Amino acid sequence: MSLFVALLGGVIGGITWMLLDIMNLGIDLIWAYIPVHIDFIFYPLVICAFGGLVIGLYTKRFGPYPHEMSEIMVEVKAGNKVPYDNLPVVAVAALLPLVFGGSIGPEAGLTGVIVGLCFWFSDRFKFIFAEVEELAQIGMAATIGVIFGSPLFAFVNQIEDEKKPTVIPKNTKILMYFVGIMGGFGALNLLSGIFGGGMGLGRFPAIENVAGGEWLAAIPLALIGVAFGMLYYVFQRLIKVAVSPLKRYTVLKAIIGGIILGGAGMLLPYTMFAGEHQMTMVMDSWESMGFAVLLLTGILKLFIGNICAQMGWRGGNIFPTIFSGVVIGYACALMLPIDPIFCVAVVTAALTATVMRKPMAVILLLLICFPINGIIPMTIGAVIGGAIPLPKWRKLETE
């Protein structure tokens, strides 16, 4: 069983690398190669509107894919089977919004593909292993670990709210999680090392100065992060209500979403795309960007992410949320005489934990980009962000 799970993890890593590579090729073609040969000021607006047309027509033909990662996790943990007869359809649906500049992450689409693949495996090997019914959960953990480059985050994210009894004994299943995650992680790193590609968040330098000023600012900074996390939910609610009259107009809705995305991208380019590559650029230029641009970029990123989700540009929200926390944290750093990395760590952890509701998983995820001496400020932010309750109307929606 361990060997089987390790091989499955390797297959997951290879497929994830392939899909991410296709995504990067598409982005380079549309957003790097073609603009060099076409000098047109409204290029983002036109391309995003065209992307909305393509996404709308594709959705109308095949249905609303991909499903959100949280929806897939609920289905898998409830013991429901995810269909696998339409995996190419899900893969294309996942790539289209990303290639056309959507402010979303790839985790939703890739998770849908991999979980479907795991159910395909389970149906064909159940005569050998009784435990393969739980391959989907192991495969989901491996996919998340591969996408975010964080095996520990994938592990904790998968088991943090796992309460249902499992066929595999608990200790054995923990081992299977690690075997599958490391198999996928190893395959992706091997392929990325040979051929390039993959994803990954930028790496912040070490926090150089932690004194009384930093600790005094920690809780207020965490509350700032929480406030912007709550703003995410406000945007989500308002946009959902505003878009409800367009529910039947799948193509029109996607085109309008593309126009809003492209218009925002013309004003503030970092509001487009998932945000992992843009985060590295912000690290190098945040001081010259200024407070207003940083703050506006962070707020608009939260808004555009919800626009994409509600307008049919479906995908994940983890990468864009982290990016928003980073730019808002840098905006705060411009106004406070404290270490900027400390500032960014607290705000990012608080905002991300407010949205994800999993403090421990957030800390482990952010450790891939923040230095080890940032673990205490991140813990302060994540614990406060995860502890403050959601708005009452949001709780009613999730129940």
Side-chain angles (χ1 to χ4, degrees), residues 17-18 48 170 212 264 315:
W17 173 85
M18 180 183 68
C48 290
K170 185 176 179 181

Side-chain angles (χ1 to χ4, degrees), residues 60-81:
K60 192 171 182 180
R61 171 66 178 83
F62 295 105
Y65 293 108
H67 297 306
E68 292 185 12
M69 190 172 75
S70 58
E71 295 174 352
I72 298 169
M73 290 182 74
V74 168
E75 289 295 312
V76 171
K77 289 183 178 181
N80 299 325
K81 185 170 289 189

Side-chain angles (χ1 to χ4, degrees), residues 62 65 83-91:
F62 295 105
Y65 293 108
Y84 52 77
D85 57 349
N86 61 347
L87 296 186
V89 170
V90 176

Side-chain angles (χ1 to χ4, degrees), residues 89-284:
V89 170
V90 176
V92 173
L95 291 172
L96 284 176
L98 295 164
V99 168
F100 282 107
S103 186
I104 56 172
E107 64 271 16
L110 291 176
T111 302
V113 173
I114 298 302
V115 169
L117 181 67
C118 289
F119 277 112
W120 181 86
F121 269 107
S122 70
D123 281 349
R124 278 149 185 79
F125 289 93
K126 62 173 61 175
F127 68 93
I128 300 177
F129 301 112
E131 302 91 342
V132 291
E133 291 296 335
E134 300 193 23
L135 278 181
Q137 294 183 31
I138 298 169
M140 182 181 293
T143 307
I144 295 170
V146 167
I147 295 170
F148 293 101
S150 176
L152 287 176
F153 164 65
F155 175 74
V156 171
N157 184 69
Q158 188 66 21
I159 70 167
E160 197 164 11
D161 57 357
E162 187 173 283
K163 297 171 183 167
K164 183 182 174 183
T166 61
V167 175
I168 304 175
K170 185 176 179 181
N171 291 337
T172 305
K173 192 170 184 182
I174 289 173
L175 173 63
M176 292 300 103
Y177 276 132
F178 273 114
V179 169
I181 291 168
M182 295 313 296
F185 193 65
L188 180 82
N189 276 282
L190 177 64
L191 290 168
S192 298
I194 297 172
F195 302 106
M199 291 188 74
L201 297 167
R203 184 75 186 171
F204 290 93
I207 298 174
E208 296 180 356
N209 179 37
V210 180
E214 278 74 18
W215 297 122
L216 284 173
I219 293 179
L221 286 170
L223 294 175
I224 289 172
V226 171
F228 283 104
M230 294 299 175
L231 183 63
Y232 172 89
Y233 290 119
V234 172
F235 285 152
Q236 186 181 70
R237 178 68 172 175
L238 292 176
I239 295 167
K240 189 177 289 187
V241 171
V243 171
S244 58
L246 297 173
K247 189 173 183 180
R248 298 190 205 172
Y249 304 99
T250 303
V251 178
L252 177 62
K253 186 171 65 172
I255 293 172
I256 294 173
I259 292 171
I260 296 172
L261 172 67
M266 288 176 63
L267 296 173
L268 296 168
Y270 291 157
T271 56
M272 298 178 66
F273 305 103
E276 82 283 359
H277 295 304
Q278 289 76 15
M279 196 172 89
T280 304
M281 299 175 190
V282 170
M283 289 179 192
D284 298 329

